[in-house]
Amino acid sequence: MDYAKLETVMRRLALEAGDTIMAIYNADDFEVKTKSDASPVTEADEAADALISAGLHAAFPDAALVTEEQAATHGEQAMSFLIVDPLDGTKEFIKRRGDFTVNIAWVEDGVPVRGVVYAPARDRMFYTRADGSSVEEAGPFDKDRVGTLTSLSVAKADNEALRIVASKSHRDQSTDDYINRYATSESKSAGSSLKFCLVATGEADLYPRLGRTMEWDTAAGHAVVTGAGGQVLDFDTLAPLAYGKDGFANPFFIACAPTVDLKSA
């Protein structure tokens, strides 16, 4: 994979998809449908998916592509592939709460090595550079010119006062029970893959997810966390979370700074 080209293409497509999403988000009304798994999908999901898929196919015609909104891609069997969630946090989008993101990633040999997470309603964009390091770009965003970049690095955790972030829409008692095993100074909720980015920026030390996710939900955020020196681990085994799994479903997982003293499952 040409990482320099990948960085440029993913950044531009994320920004273009963000424009498409925000045009629908700011409209008086938009259509919401229900998918076969009972999850919601909007015209913004579908429009962003069409834009990103076309752009990736044009730029990388030989690369396998898996995307949430195209069921035909969910039977793909590859260890290296592009993976897309065009609008992560659809429930946040529908409620107009702003915590939704565009996610594009490249998985290489089962590991997410490059990715972009763009939160258009929050004016925050995080991505991996060609060298694998993670940055946050400051807005306003120009599609042709990269703005001011801040290098990202996970925090050195204080295990007597951890800062924990958890899901806004999917937080449950088992998650709270796990969080309560730690000495915390802060516990907050956030939507979509922004939780990974809060770990990557050092704004949070630990993000546990005890619930169903798919690889397209996590790959881009996983890459950003890794590029900032963090780790994403299988909740039960504490082995690195692997990709290219049958059906692209994830086990429970933990994203964290490596200095967090993790509690056993």
Side-chain angles (χ1 to χ4, degrees):
M1 174 57 72
D2 181 338
Y3 293 138
K5 179 179 179 181
L6 183 65
E7 176 188 340
T8 299
V9 170
M10 288 198 305
R11 177 186 176 275
R12 172 180 281 276
L13 289 175
L15 290 172
E16 290 177 350
D19 288 347
T20 297
I21 288 166
M22 291 307 295
I24 297 169
Y25 184 72
N26 291 323
D28 291 337
D29 195 15
F30 49 79
E31 183 181 6
V32 180
K33 296 181 286 189
T34 301
K35 294 192 286 189
S36 60
D37 64 359
S39 63
V41 62
T42 71
E43 57 192 283
D45 296 76
E46 295 171 339
D49 180 73
L51 185 155
I52 294 168
S53 297
L56 291 176
H57 279 308
F60 307 105
D62 297 325
L65 173 64
V66 177
T67 171
E68 178 181 13
E69 302 308 335
Q70 296 178 40
T73 69
H74 299 175
E76 187 71 57
Q77 293 184 320
M79 290 304 292
S80 296
F81 51 94
L82 294 158
I83 187 164
V84 175
D85 188 343
L87 202 172
D88 184 34
T90 300
K91 292 179 181 177
E92 304 298 318
F93 178 89
I94 292 168
K95 295 175 182 176
R96 287 190 163 93
R97 292 200 298 218
D99 275 7
F100 51 85
T101 55
V102 178
N103 299 270
I104 309 170
W106 168 246
V107 173
E108 194 166 278
D109 296 326
V111 179
V113 295
R114 299 291 185 276
V116 58
V117 176
Y118 176 41
R122 297 281 185 244
D123 288 323
R124 298 193 76 174
M125 183 165 62
F126 314 84
Y127 57 93
T128 50
R129 303 298 312 273
D131 64 2
S133 64
S134 292
V135 295
E136 179 173 3
E137 181 176 339
F141 303 107
D142 186 316
K143 295 180 184 64
D144 299 313
R145 185 180 297 108
V146 174
T148 302
L149 299 177
T150 300
S151 295
L152 301 185
S153 179
V154 297
K156 183 177 181 180
D158 177 354
N159 284 288
E160 300 304 314
L162 288 178
R163 297 161 303 149
I164 297 181
V165 62
S167 175
K168 184 175 288 184
S169 297
H170 302 280
R171 188 160 174 167
D172 58 12
Q173 188 60 51
S174 61
T175 302
D176 287 337
D177 289 345
Y178 180 73
I179 290 172
N180 289 337
R181 300 175 65 186
Y182 293 88
T184 62
S185 64
E186 182 180 30
S187 180
K188 58 186 174 183
S189 298
S192 70
S193 54
L194 282 171
K195 296 180 285 293
F196 287 102
C197 300
L198 295 178
V199 174
T201 62
E203 294 170 68
D205 304 304
L206 173 65
Y207 160 37
R209 181 58 184 265
L210 283 70
R212 177 178 170 82
T213 60
M214 305 300 287
E215 292 182 14
W216 46 76
D217 296 315
T218 60
H222 185 152
V224 170
V225 166
T226 302
Q231 54 191 5
V232 183
L233 308 173
D234 182 298
F235 181 82
D236 291 317
T237 67
L238 299 185
L241 185 65
Y243 288 70
K245 300 180 293 296
D246 186 37
F248 301 98
N250 286 324
F252 297 172
F253 66 83
I254 299 165
C256 64
T259 46
V260 174
D261 181 11
L262 292 172
K263 307 299 183 184
S264 58

